[in-house]
Amino acid sequence: MKRLNLSRIQQLFHSFRLHPAVIACLTTGMILTGSFAIAQPVATGWLFNGQTTPNQITLSGVKYTGECAAGPFFPDLTGTFISAKTPPAPHTRVLIKNVTSGVSTNPHPYTNREYDERRPTSEVAKMTFSNRHQMRKFGVLEGSNTFEYTIQQRDKVLETGTFTSDITTNVRTEERTATWVRDKVCANRSVSLDVCADIRDRRARQCQDGRILQSELTPDDPEIVSRVYNDTGETLNFRFEHREYRLAPGEYAVIRTYESDSSQSLYFNTTCKDCSRFSSSSSFTPGKRYRFTSTKNGETRTIRLEDYSRSNDYHQRRWR
């Protein structure tokens, strides 16, 4: 026996202009058991992912305890909307608001889904446990949720109403401990290895989600080394923290500082390499590799300070 198309059944009843209450009673989904077909009435509301009973779902999750405590975490929650009275139709959408007590009202969590003839239910809505509206996921609460809905075909309202869904959870606990790992990091943790001038060995106790509970750096030196290279082809002067540096072509300066959250500045002249008057400045982050470069436009030569990546194989050999 073939399964009956729910959307097609609804459309057929509507084509005979039956009273909505009659349609609600007659419209059915068919469950096949052996050679018999058992009819179940269609309910208005959410058909949650993997569930056969409308407006009900129990999510199984995990909560981690111990030194790497986190969670609980649940699988993705999705659902599609169906109405017992109004089947999907061309150019139709459904707006659903979560009006449960305790959720934000400015605005209510809401979702606006397609409800057209291309599928038997609405477009899928992604959900998350939240009392506020989120752009990509529809906010729901654990427990009983009350929703208001409006089915609209272009500017015409076809149906409005409310329904209730029960979202429960089943959480198991699991203890997690950190493990010792070894890797390389920049002495200034905010600097990536690709542009780091001070790479150190790290031994750390790390959680499965990447959190570091304890770490040891080798060498354990509070000073952070930065390097500034002269890649302009001519002698260049610059100043940092009241000290002036003079670099011949191909040379680099080693600058020792401490990590700082405050912005620091390196001063130089954008048009004159050998000038002692510094007319420009550039942001400076301890632990980085920098280089001066120059470009020429007619008789004007412009000097810039930029991050110096290790990905340049030629300069890796040149600067070690």
Side-chain angles (χ1 to χ4, degrees):
M1 181 182 293
K2 294 184 179 179
R3 292 181 180 271
L4 299 182
N5 186 294
L6 173 60
S7 177
R8 180 58 179 160
I9 294 172
Q10 291 175 313
Q11 290 169 357
L12 286 172
F13 283 128
H14 277 269
S15 68
F16 288 106
R17 304 183 183 276
L18 296 178
H19 189 276
V22 178
I23 296 172
C25 294
L26 295 177
T27 304
T28 60
M30 305 302 290
I31 300 177
L32 301 182
T33 306
S35 59
F36 297 97
I38 303 174
Q40 290 186 337
V42 174
T44 295
W46 291 116
L47 295 174
F48 292 112
N49 51 302
Q51 303 301 303
T52 58
T53 303
N55 293 316
Q56 292 185 24
I57 189 170
T58 298
L59 289 175
S60 296
V62 59
K63 181 177 182 179
Y64 298 106
T65 60
E67 59 183 352
C68 292
F73 299 102
F74 298 100
D76 291 339
L77 175 60
T78 62
T80 60
F81 172 84
I82 185 65
S83 167
K85 298 179 181 179
T86 306
H91 312 295
T92 303
R93 301 186 69 89
V94 57
L95 172 65
I96 306 172
K97 295 182 180 180
N98 190 339
V99 295
T100 307
S101 176
V103 303
S104 174
T105 60
N106 187 27
H108 285 283
Y110 68 87
T111 186
N112 191 331
R113 302 285 90 187
E114 292 180 352
Y115 190 61
D116 57 34
E117 78 285 1
R118 293 176 298 174
R119 52 180 74 87
T121 60
S122 77
E123 179 184 11
V124 172
K126 297 180 179 179
M127 305 180 193
T128 186
F129 287 120
S130 174
N131 66 346
R132 296 184 178 277
H133 176 69
Q134 299 191 14
M135 293 299 293
R136 296 185 180 276
K137 291 188 176 182
F138 184 38
V140 296
L141 302 181
E142 183 177 358
S144 180
N145 288 253
T146 301
F147 302 95
E148 292 180 353
Y149 68 94
T150 300
I151 302 175
Q152 191 164 330
Q153 189 174 50
R154 293 197 172 118
D155 296 332
K156 180 182 179 182
V157 174
L158 302 181
E159 182 187 348
T160 62
T162 62
F163 64 91
T164 301
S165 296
D166 292 321
I167 304 172
T168 57
T169 60
N170 180 19
V171 180
R172 63 180 176 86
T173 59
E174 182 178 322
E175 186 172 357
R176 286 200 310 191
T177 58
T179 56
W180 284 103
V181 297
R182 294 180 180 272
D183 58 3
K184 292 185 180 295
V185 297
C186 194
N188 183 347
R189 308 296 175 84
S190 67
V191 176
S192 68
L193 288 177
D194 186 47
V195 292
C196 182
D198 194 344
I199 297 177
R200 304 188 188 184
D201 293 319
R202 179 177 68 172
R203 180 173 176 262
R205 283 184 58 77
Q206 184 175 13
C207 290
Q208 292 79 355
D209 57 8
R211 283 179 293 156
I212 300 296
L213 304 182
Q214 177 186 353
S215 65
E216 303 168 356
L217 293 184
T218 305
D220 187 15
D221 188 343
E223 284 191 325
I224 296 177
V225 173
S226 307
R227 289 191 180 189
V228 181
Y229 299 87
N230 179 4
D231 205 20
T232 65
E234 300 180 45
T235 300
L236 180 142
N237 296 333
F238 70 92
R239 186 179 76 240
F240 179 75
E241 287 192 339
H242 310 295
R243 178 180 174 182
E244 293 190 9
Y245 297 81
R246 183 178 179 85
L247 293 180
E251 287 187 339
Y252 64 86
V254 174
I255 300 176
R256 295 182 178 273
T257 57
Y258 296 92
E259 183 177 355
S260 174
D261 294 332
S262 60
S263 177
Q264 302 182 57
S265 297
L266 184 148
Y267 297 88
F268 60 98
N269 193 302
T270 58
T271 58
C272 177
K273 300 180 180 63
D274 203 22
C275 292
S276 58
R277 183 174 62 85
F278 306 108
S279 59
S280 300
S281 65
S282 181
S283 176
F284 182 88
T285 301
K288 261 191 178 184
R289 289 160 44 102
Y290 292 96
R291 69 171 175 175
F292 284 105
T293 61
S294 64
T295 56
K296 189 174 182 180
N297 184 8
E299 296 299 320
T300 303
R301 193 181 295 270
T302 302
I303 302 171
R304 296 188 307 274
L305 180 68
E306 59 187 34
D307 292 355
Y308 190 25
S309 171
R310 292 178 175 273
S311 60
N312 186 316
D313 291 338
Y314 168 76
H315 287 293
Q316 282 185 17
R317 294 193 296 270
R318 179 180 177 186
W319 302 117
R320 296 188 300 281

